[in-house]
């Protein structure tokens, strides 16, 4: 059986207050499941190995984001140390999605990226979650990395069965 993959469900933006609460940007459609008290979340800094696990003590909405209290994160300094950390789960805890236009990161990584004409662009290497939205990191056929905004206007078609997605790039997006 294959190892479960790691998926980002949130990103710690900054501390809130002096008691160790964390402001979290939610990156999941199921925050009520992922951030329920008692849930265990992995932590990861971009490009680094997984860190410690955090257990959710409490979560509540706040100004379009989530305020999270985690067991063992006591005080502003401990919360500050977690700034920028991705909160993760493994694919083996996910419920299957019923929406044909919804994808988990692990489903996109490894897909071939082609232009509408069918010309090969490269391969999806990573899905990067930013405050402005998601980006697909593509490794091109000539071994460059290109970041493509993951929006329907630029990525109009995803065919998991065929192992590809179509990228309709605006002028200059794929240039060196």
């Amino acid at each position: 059986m294959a190892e479960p993959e790691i998926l980002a469900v949130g990103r710690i933006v900054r501390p809130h207050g002096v008691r160790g609460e964390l402001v979290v940007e939610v990156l999941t459609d199921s925050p009520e499941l992922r951030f329920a008290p008692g849930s265990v979340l992995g932590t990861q800094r971009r490009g680094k190995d997984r860190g410690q696990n955090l257990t959710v003590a409490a979560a509540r909405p706040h100004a379009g984001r989530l305020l999270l209290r985690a067991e063992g994160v006591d005080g502003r300094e401990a919360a500050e140390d977690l700034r920028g950390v991705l909160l993760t789960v493994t694919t083996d805890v996910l419920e299957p999605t019923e929406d044909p236009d919804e994808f988990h990161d692990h489903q996109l990584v490894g897909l071939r990226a082609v232009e509408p004409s069918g010309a090969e662009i490269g391969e999806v290497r990573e899905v990067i979650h930013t405050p402005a939205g998601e980006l697909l990191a593509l490794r091109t056929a000539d071994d460059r990395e290109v970041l493509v905004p993951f929006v329907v206007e630029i990525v109009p078609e995803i065919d998991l069965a065929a192992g590809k997605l179509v990228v309709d790039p605006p002028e200059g997006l794929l240039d060196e």
Side-chain angles (χ1 to χ4, degrees), residues 2-4 35 55 58 65 77 83 93 104 113 118-119 128-129 143 169-170:
E3 283 284 316
F35 301 105
T55 300
R65 292 194 170 146
E77 189 174 314
R83 182 186 291 261
V93 302
H104 295 297
I128 301 170
H129 299 275
D143 206 36

Side-chain angles (χ1 to χ4, degrees), residues 36-42 52-58 68-73:
S39 297
V40 177
L41 302 170
Q52 73 208 41
N53 286 339
L54 293 178
T55 300
V56 176
L68 183 94
R69 246 185 340 98
E71 293 177 10
V73 179

Side-chain angles (χ1 to χ4, degrees), residues 90-165:
T90 55
T91 54
D92 58 348
V93 302
L94 296 178
E95 302 76 26
T97 178
E98 302 297 322
D99 183 348
D101 294 325
E102 185 177 305
F103 303 95
H104 295 297
D105 292 2
H106 73 283
Q107 294 175 296
L108 301 172
V109 172
L111 293 182
R112 287 182 9 260
V114 299
E115 293 184 31
S117 67
E120 196 80 22
I121 297 170
E123 179 180 305
V124 178
R125 306 296 277 181
E126 181 182 7
V127 179
I128 301 170
H129 299 275
T130 72
E134 283 70 41
L135 297 169
L136 299 177
L138 304 181
R139 175 63 55 197
T140 64
D142 60 353
D143 206 36
R144 293 181 297 121
E145 182 177 74
V146 177
L147 299 179
V148 174
F150 189 41
V151 294
V152 73
E153 295 82 11
I154 298 174
V155 185
E157 182 183 333
I158 298 169
D159 186 343
L160 295 178
K164 71 175 185 173
L165 54 79

Side-chain angles (χ1 to χ4, degrees), residues 36-63:
S39 297
V40 177
L41 302 170
T43 61
Q44 188 172 21
R45 293 189 188 275
R46 183 157 187 233
K48 296 190 178 176
D49 292 335
R50 291 184 59 141
Q52 73 208 41
N53 286 339
L54 293 178
T55 300
V56 176
R60 61 189 168 96
H62 176 74

